[in-house]
Amino acid sequence: MSFSVNGGTPSGYYQSILELETEWRQKGTIHEAGQVIPFDFGRAADFIAPKSIESSIHSALTPYSLQPFGGYVATISSGRVWGEAGAVLTPEGKLIFDLSQEYDALQNRMLEADEHPVFQQWNDPKLQHLEGTVAVLTFCGSHNYFHWMYDVLPRLAMLKTSGIPYTSIIMNPNPYGPFVAQTWAMLGISESSVIRTNPEAYVEANQLLVPSLMMNSHYPPWATDTLRKFLLPHRDESHVTPERIYISRKKASSRRIVNDEDVICSLEKFNIVPICLEDWTVGQQIQLFASAKVIVGPHGAGLANLAFCQRGTQVIEIFHAQHVVPTYWMISNHNELEYYMVYGQGIPDPAIRFPGLEDVYVDIQRLKQTLHLAGLDT
C-alpha cells in the first residue's frame, strides 16, 4: 500500500454506472477504463396479496409481477472508495451514485445524488493506493441484519459468478453483533482478506470490482435463492426448535410491542413460543426458521430469516399502521409462504418524529382473529 498527498476534492456525479459506461464508449476507452458486465437475476417475482382481516391493505402490498432488472458487475480502472460508508468514485473523483447510495438517519430517507456526504463532508483524506483488483461490497445499511443478508451477501455471489479474481474486499465496519463473523465463517472467508472502511478512508486500486446494489433491482427472488444455497447447509440441526414461534422485539431499541407480555400470553394458547433472536446464533436462527410451520412477529430485521423457510410456512407480520414496508411480504412470496398481516397502533413519542421507530400496541382480539383466519386453533 502506498500513499499520495491527497486525491483532490470530488466534483460531480454519475447517476448510474451506465452514464459512465456511455462516456467510456464515446471516448473510446471502454476496455482501458473499465467494463459493465450484465448480470442475469433469473426468474420473475410474482407477488400475491396478503391475507388479512384488515378492510384496507396498504398500497405497498399490492399484487404485481416483476422481471428483475439492472444487475451488473463493473470493473473500474483506478477506481476509488471514500469514507466509512464506502462511496465509489472514478479516478477523476466523480461519484457513481447507484453504487454509493446513502441514508440520512435524521431525515429518515435516502439522499439524492447532490446531497451525498462526499460533497457535504469532504475531509481531504490522504489517498492510499492498493495493488491489484479489489472487490467492493460496501452498503450504507450493512450494520443491519436484513441489509447484511440481502444487500451484501448476494453481491458476494455476483462476484464469484463473474469469474474475475480479486485480492481483497472493501467492506464497512460492523459494530453490531456476531452475525458478520458467523456468516463469514460459514462461507470460508478470512477477515484478513477484508479492508474495513472508516471516516478517513480514501483508497484507489489498480482495478475495482463492484457488483450492483440489490435494492436497485428490487431485491429479486435470486437474492433469496442465493441465501438458501449459501447458508441452509450451515443450519444448526443439533438445535431442537419449536414449530410455532413468535419473534419478540423486547430487546430491540425501537419498534417494540408495548404489550408484548399480553401478546405472548395470548399466543401461548396457540402453542406459539416466544423467541428473542438476539440469543441465537445465525446457524440456530436458520434452523429455527427452516423448521418452523408458524411464524408471528412485528416488522423487523430478524424476519430476513424467512429466506430459509419451507414452502407453505404461515407468516403473520405485525405492522405499525403508518409504517408499512413490503420487504418480508416480498421474501414470503419468493418462498411461496402463506403470508398474513395485521396492523398495530403506533405509540406517539415527542422525541420520535418517524413512525418506523415508534413502539406499537397490538390489539389482542384482532391478532386472535388473524390467527383464526390462518386456521390456527387454541
Side-chain angles (χ1 to χ4, degrees):
M1 180 184 297
S2 59
F3 295 83
S4 63
V5 176
N6 62 66
T9 304
S11 175
Y13 60 86
Y14 297 96
Q15 191 70 36
S16 74
I17 193 76
L18 298 181
E19 291 183 10
L20 177 57
E21 183 187 35
T22 298
E23 185 175 294
W24 287 341
R25 291 187 183 281
Q26 291 171 345
K27 292 180 177 179
T29 60
I30 186 69
H31 298 294
E32 297 83 2
Q35 59 180 326
V36 180
I37 307 165
F39 191 91
D40 183 5
F41 286 125
R43 66 184 175 105
D46 296 307
F47 300 104
I48 63 174
K51 299 177 182 180
S52 182
I53 63 167
E54 303 294 349
S55 59
S56 177
I57 304 296
H58 195 280
S59 60
L61 306 178
T62 301
Y64 66 100
S65 295
L66 181 70
Q67 181 62 46
F69 59 91
Y72 64 81
V73 176
T75 62
I76 307 168
S77 298
S78 298
R80 298 177 178 182
V81 177
W82 172 83
E84 188 165 350
V88 179
L89 286 73
T90 67
E92 298 76 29
K94 291 184 72 171
L95 177 73
I96 306 174
F97 182 61
D98 71 330
L99 292 173
S100 311
Q101 296 187 355
E102 282 277 2
Y103 183 80
D104 188 316
L106 295 177
Q107 300 182 62
N108 297 296
R109 66 176 180 87
M110 299 300 293
L111 296 177
E112 299 295 333
D114 58 3
E115 301 173 305
H116 197 280
V118 77
F119 305 123
Q120 315 297 332
Q121 302 170 19
W122 181 249
N123 51 355
D124 199 27
K126 186 178 292 185
L127 182 64
Q128 307 172 25
H129 182 77
L130 303 175
E131 293 294 330
T133 296
V134 178
V136 181
L137 289 180
T138 54
F139 182 75
C140 61
S142 66
H143 58 273
N144 173 277
Y145 186 76
F146 165 76
H147 290 298
W148 171 256
M149 287 292 195
Y150 270 85
D151 287 292
V152 178
L153 293 187
R155 296 168 67 214
L156 180 64
M158 295 173 71
L159 294 177
K160 292 185 175 182
T161 301
S162 76
I164 300 173
Y166 52 90
T167 56
S168 54
I169 308 172
I170 297 177
M171 300 188 64
N172 309 103
N174 198 316
Y176 300 110
F179 61 82
V180 171
Q182 290 174 17
T183 50
W184 242 212
M186 291 175 180
L187 299 174
I189 296 174
S190 170
E191 182 66 24
S192 64
S193 67
V194 176
I195 300 170
R196 297 287 177 182
T197 60
N198 62 74
E200 299 298 320
Y202 192 32
V203 300
E204 176 186 82
N206 288 1
Q207 178 174 256
L208 291 184
L209 179 65
V210 195
S212 58
L213 301 187
M214 287 293 105
M215 63 179 290
N216 292 340
S217 296
H218 207 65
Y219 298 111
W222 176 89
T224 297
D225 297 341
T226 296
L227 289 175
R228 294 176 67 84
K229 180 181 177 181
F230 268 8
L231 300 181
L232 264 176
H234 300 282
R235 60 195 284 191
D236 184 355
E237 294 185 274
S238 67
H239 205 67
V240 178
T241 60
E243 290 187 339
R244 295 184 173 190
I245 59 175
Y246 166 65
I247 307 303
S248 173
R249 285 183 61 86
K250 68 180 180 181
K251 294 188 178 182
S253 60
S254 64
R255 219 179 310 112
R256 293 160 298 209
I257 303 300
V258 295
N259 57 333
D260 200 58
E261 292 304 317
D262 293 337
V263 169
I264 290 172
C265 183
S266 67
L267 292 178
E268 283 177 348
K269 298 179 176 128
F270 294 83
N271 297 313
I272 297 174
V273 178
I275 299 288
C276 288
L277 293 176
E278 293 88 344
D279 301 329
W280 297 58
T281 67
V282 174
Q284 291 169 348
Q285 290 182 48
I286 295 171
Q287 171 69 5
L288 177 68
F289 278 72
S291 303
K293 294 183 178 178
V294 176
I295 300 168
V296 181
H299 180 82
L303 293 183
N305 291 306
L306 293 174
F308 309 114
C309 288
Q310 299 179 53
R311 179 182 179 182
T313 300
Q314 293 179 300
V315 177
I316 300 174
E317 184 171 8
I318 302 167
F319 284 110
H320 183 306
Q322 280 74 52
H323 182 72
V324 177
V325 180
T327 312
Y328 306 113
W329 170 68
M330 293 166 61
I331 297 173
S332 295
N333 276 279
H334 292 171
N335 277 344
E336 298 183 51
L337 310 184
E338 191 175 312
Y339 180 91
Y340 299 78
M341 59 80 66
V342 64
Y343 293 129
Q345 182 60 49
I347 305 300
D349 183 335
I352 299 175
R353 294 183 294 176
F354 178 54
L357 298 178
E358 289 180 347
D359 291 337
V360 175
Y361 173 83
V362 175
D363 184 310
I364 300 299
Q365 284 306 117
R366 295 184 67 76
L367 178 59
K368 287 181 178 178
Q369 290 172 22
T370 304
L371 293 166
H372 289 308
L373 179 65
L376 300 176
D377 297 315
T378 56

